[in-house]
Amino acid sequence: DLKENQKISSVAVWNANNGNGYLKEANVTFHYADDSSENVALADAGQTFEFANPKSDTEVSSIEIEFTKAVSNSGKPNQLTLSEIEVKAIETAEEGEAAEESVSVEKVLTEDAFNLSVTNEYYPEKSSSNVEKLIQQNNYAGLFDGNKGDNGAYRSFELKWYPDDAAWAVDVT
């Protein structure tokens, strides 16, 4: 969940350059302050999955990211390694002496803008302790460190996958 409702232009998820698994399919659901929602699905997007918000002029209350398919280096459904998640908010900046004009600018949100949780079918309830059960690094810091697979940050965020291919949902709200 977002700590404060905001206009969001896009969400991007970066696959790690190296690691145990590679994202192949994902969905992002934008939940809006007006209680509506929109889902965007992508498959085989390569290094970067970028999900454009279909209603970027409407404030978002939460964002749910569901990783639905990943493959390991051996080609089997397995573990997923990401290097970054980037959420861009749209802010209005005032210009001019009298502030008669405003300009929209994008701002990348940091980890502290969210109440983060990670769930799957084994741990379906949102809980702050799930990150220790489901994420190799036991925290979300690797998703917000600015390293997009370069600079050797290829294992900054690893999801632990179970053998039955259960989908993961990271609810960024």
Side-chain angles (χ1 to χ4, degrees):
D1 296 323
L2 288 163
K3 290 181 179 175
E4 295 180 14
N5 294 345
Q6 298 188 49
K7 292 181 180 178
I8 303 294
S9 63
S10 65
V11 173
V13 177
W14 273 267
N15 269 311
N17 286 337
N18 296 300
N20 294 330
Y22 200 76
L23 183 62
K24 297 295 282 180
E25 295 178 8
N27 301 314
V28 169
T29 303
F30 296 92
H31 298 276
Y32 302 102
D34 66 6
D35 293 326
S36 65
S37 63
E38 293 282 342
N39 185 64
V40 180
L42 291 175
D44 297 319
Q47 181 75 23
T48 306
F49 282 64
E50 186 153 0
F51 303 87
N53 180 0
K55 293 171 52 177
S56 60
D57 59 339
T58 303
E59 287 193 340
V60 173
S61 59
S62 69
I63 301 164
E64 185 176 337
I65 305 171
E66 183 179 22
F67 308 115
T68 55
K69 183 178 179 184
V71 294
S72 70
N73 292 334
S74 64
K76 296 179 182 177
N78 190 315
Q79 190 173 12
L80 174 61
T81 307
L82 301 174
S83 63
E84 189 79 5
I85 290 180
E86 185 175 84
V87 178
K88 292 182 182 175
I90 301 169
E91 293 187 340
T92 303
E94 301 294 331
E95 285 191 352
E97 285 183 32
E100 296 172 5
E101 299 178 28
S102 62
V103 175
S104 293
V105 294
E106 286 186 328
K107 172 187 172 186
V108 175
L109 297 180
T110 59
E111 181 179 358
D112 62 352
F114 305 96
N115 294 315
L116 295 167
S117 64
V118 60
T119 62
N120 71 0
E121 73 177 271
Y122 302 100
Y123 298 99
E125 300 297 318
K126 291 182 183 180
S127 168
S128 60
S129 67
N130 283 358
V131 71
E132 296 164 2
K133 298 169 189 165
L134 302 173
I135 306 301
Q136 186 67 29
Q137 289 76 12
N138 297 323
N139 62 57
Y140 300 104
L143 290 177
F144 298 94
D145 64 5
N147 290 314
K148 298 175 176 77
D150 45 28
N151 303 327
Y154 62 89
R155 289 184 185 260
S156 56
F157 192 79
E158 292 179 301
L159 297 168
K160 300 173 187 174
W161 279 67
Y162 290 93
D164 70 354
D165 244 350
W168 295 78
V170 177
D171 185 13
V172 182
T173 54

